[in-house]
Amino acid sequence: MDKMKKEGFGSKLGFIFAAAGSAVGLGNIWRFPYLAAKYGGGIFLLVYLILAVTFGFSLMITEIGIGRKTGKSVIGAYKDVDKRFAFLGPIAAVVPFIITPYYCVIGGWVLKFLAIFATGYGKTVADDGEFFTGFIGDWKQPTIFFIAFALLTAIVVILGVQKGIEMMSRILMPVLLVLIVGIAVYTLTIPGALSGVKYYVLPNFKGFTFTTFLKTLVAAMGQLFYSMSLAMGIMVTYGSYMRKEDSLEGSVRQIEIFDTAVAFLAGMIIIPAVFAFSGGDPAALGKGPSLMFITLPNVFKTMKGGQVVGTFFFFLVALAALTSSISLLETIVSIICEKTKINRYYGTLICFAFVIIVGMTSVFGYSIWDKVTIFGYQFLDFYDFISNNVIMPVVSLLTCILIGYFVKTKYIEDEVLNGEKKFGAKGLYKVMILVICPVCMIIILLSNFLVKL
Ligand code: PHE
């Protein structure tokens, strides 16, 4: 990042790819489908899409705008915008510290599945979940794969080979997209899959109550923050590298479309497949974090050449996860180095140790500590919840108040006009920042106390 900071991004496309590389990750392929399956399929999809083009758009333009205007990373940026909001930087900076460890734990699960497929054992893990539950229920293997994934991430961060990674993701991200489309098309040919497609794309309001709506809204909003890497300072930092002459609005739209398309397609594979294999059983749909690891092997098993396709698929998922975890680790390393003035090498070592120690609580949470819960959540789920549903909404709420009521939306509008003649969605932007975003954020925060998700 230091290197990038001096140079900035060389082109508009370079910026879009880097931001999309951070955004597209496990959130799209692993988290989105299981949430959509759990929270009513079509209704979740509809709520998510509406939020993405209004809410996600406004927040992302705000964060990237703050970064580009101040030219600083998150801790300095908020202070620059308004001294009274200087405290917001450190709060946003806490989020990647919470997410990175458990992100690497799940990255480890992906590596394990990649190893299984690559060695020709893909068929042996296609069952009703016994394999996966057994795997995470015994801490030894998840620990090894977790450490391997965290190590890979740390090596890239130490060597500073982001350039190489960036180039690789430039080539491989489009490949991932093609592969996802291909597998999605295949999934549709499995008998029984079409009712899954219906469940996924057509909202069904039967039996829909206010509480279910609230739950869906909260889950969709949490997902939006996570998937678009919002409310944790990452987009502010990326914005500080962006060239002044490039279009802010256009770039944000493209990142958003890419991120949402990958999530949508991942759901298009997983949800119809769950339907086909379970007959639409709500228990199967509500499986949560384990959904991808149970359903996909079943799809690959029925597929001709599934072993090879599965290997390739898990390889690309691992890569997408890696580009995201690198941006996460990079962020916490630069925060530690900035604060303590130690060099990058030791900074990375310290952060690596931190990731391992905290990550182990997530590994144990699904195995030897599975009776231990924090406010009713297992460790991994708790970290996920506290960051996505508590800290991120607080950061976003305060950011909206800062931009909407202290420095006024003109602050961002002017920055948008730097790179283009017109801010097309200015009206929408104002309404979102001044009214709708803050109200939604307050709803999320209150609902945490009212309904257990
Ligand atoms: N957005 C990434 C994903 O969808 C996760 C992530 C969050 C990455 C925050 C970097 C920063 O998987």
Side-chain angles (χ1 to χ4, degrees):
M1 269 207 190
D2 303 341
K3 250 188 272 150
M4 271 202 290
K5 189 154 212 157
K6 261 182 253 132
E7 293 166 11
F9 286 105
S11 65
K12 182 176 161 213
L13 216 58
F15 169 74
I16 291 175
F17 268 104
S22 163
V24 175
L26 292 169
N28 308 62
I29 304 168
W30 157 77
R31 203 172 185 275
F32 181 86
Y34 86 67
L35 287 177
K38 186 168 168 187
Y39 293 105
I43 294 179
F44 182 88
L45 186 65
L46 183 69
V47 171
Y48 186 84
L49 290 179
I50 294 174
L51 287 176
V53 295
T54 53
F55 202 79
F57 169 77
S58 308
L59 291 178
M60 195 183 283
I61 234 174
T62 303
E63 292 195 15
I64 298 182
I66 291 178
R68 188 164 82 169
K69 185 135 180 165
T70 60
K72 300 221 165 111
S73 64
V74 64
I75 299 206
Y78 280 105
K79 194 154 132 202
D80 251 32
V81 180
D82 189 320
K83 275 214 173 54
R84 287 165 293 182
F85 281 76
F87 67 95
L88 211 49
I91 300 181
V94 167
V95 178
F97 282 90
I98 303 175
I99 294 186
T100 315
Y102 87 78
Y103 201 86
C104 289
V105 171
I106 300 158
W109 297 352
V110 175
L111 281 189
K112 166 76 184 173
F113 274 68
L114 171 60
I116 293 174
F117 273 86
T119 49
Y121 290 99
K123 284 211 167 80
T124 61
V125 299
D127 56 21
D128 288 338
E130 297 84 7
F131 174 81
F132 183 73
T133 324
F135 164 63
I136 59 170
D138 182 4
W139 61 274
K140 295 177 215 72
Q141 283 220 26
T143 303
I144 295 170
F145 284 95
F146 156 52
I147 294 177
F149 187 87
L151 204 59
L152 268 178
T153 310
I155 290 173
V156 176
V157 172
I158 286 193
L159 294 179
V161 291
Q162 290 99 320
K163 279 247 162 73
I165 285 280
E166 233 180 86
M167 233 172 55
M168 234 166 57
S169 35
R170 247 181 214 228
I171 302 166
L172 290 176
M173 283 294 148
V175 178
L176 175 70
L177 205 60
V178 172
L179 197 70
I180 290 191
V181 173
I183 302 173
V185 170
Y186 174 79
T187 313
L188 299 185
T189 65
I190 301 174
L194 283 182
S195 33
V197 176
K198 259 203 213 137
Y199 174 77
Y200 182 40
V201 297
L202 299 179
N204 177 3
F205 293 97
K206 217 161 70 207
F208 200 59
T209 62
F210 182 67
T211 323
T212 40
F213 173 68
L214 207 58
K215 283 186 184 180
T216 309
L217 185 70
V218 171
M221 263 193 268
Q223 172 62 14
L224 194 71
F225 288 129
Y226 190 90
S227 187
M228 298 197 175
S229 309
L230 292 170
M232 59 185 92
I234 291 193
M235 287 299 162
V236 175
T237 309
Y238 275 30
S240 72
Y241 305 142
M242 192 182 174
R243 295 193 308 186
K244 285 277 183 201
E245 65 268 30
D246 285 338
S247 155
L248 195 61
E249 192 177 5
S251 305
V252 168
R253 281 269 180 249
Q254 286 178 31
I255 300 167
E256 214 178 49
I257 290 172
F258 192 67
D259 189 70
T260 308
V262 175
F264 173 76
L265 289 167
M268 201 63 172
I269 295 177
I270 294 178
I271 296 173
V274 186
F275 248 80
F277 293 114
S278 70
D281 173 14
L285 288 165
K287 273 265 185 318
S290 59
L291 195 64
M292 173 173 105
F293 298 97
I294 296 172
T295 315
L296 277 180
N298 279 303
V299 176
F300 295 133
K301 186 180 170 187
T302 59
M303 191 184 226
K304 231 205 204 134
Q307 185 73 41
V308 177
V309 179
T311 307
F312 208 47
F313 180 82
F314 279 109
F315 171 71
L316 291 171
V317 175
L319 195 92
L322 201 63
T323 54
S324 296
S325 66
I326 291 165
S327 78
L328 280 163
L329 187 66
E330 179 78 60
T331 311
I332 65 176
V333 169
S334 54
I335 291 170
I336 293 291
C337 291
E338 232 174 82
K339 284 277 147 211
T340 59
K341 306 274 179 282
I342 52 177
N343 71 27
R344 221 182 139 68
Y345 179 74
Y346 288 111
T348 311
L349 284 186
I350 291 172
C351 291
F352 176 72
F354 168 83
V355 166
I356 298 298
I357 293 167
V358 179
M360 282 314 289
T361 59
S362 290
V363 172
F364 288 148
Y366 279 128
S367 50
I368 46 177
W369 292 350
D370 65 350
K371 298 277 169 322
V372 187
T373 54
I374 315 174
F375 300 118
Y377 292 96
Q378 282 178 310
F379 282 89
L380 192 151
D381 305 21
F382 175 73
Y383 297 136
D384 192 72
F385 169 79
I386 194 88
S387 46
N388 293 290
N389 295 14
V390 182
I391 308 179
M392 295 186 190
V394 169
V395 171
S396 296
L397 174 63
L398 293 171
T399 306
C400 290
I401 293 175
L402 164 65
I403 297 297
Y405 297 93
F406 282 77
V407 298
K408 304 282 180 323
T409 50
K410 199 162 173 332
Y411 184 90
I412 297 294
E413 287 158 28
D414 287 348
E415 188 54 39
V416 172
L417 292 178
N418 247 324
E420 54 214 318
K421 291 202 183 60
K422 213 170 126 247
F423 182 4
K426 186 166 136 188
L428 170 81
Y429 178 73
K430 271 192 153 150
V431 177
M432 290 308 297
I433 296 295
L434 287 167
V435 188
I436 302 183
C437 291
V439 170
C440 286
M441 243 77 76
I442 291 170
I443 294 178
I444 298 192
L445 291 168
L446 288 179
S447 72
N448 290 334
F449 300 102
L450 301 178
V451 281
K452 167 107 172 54
L453 296 171

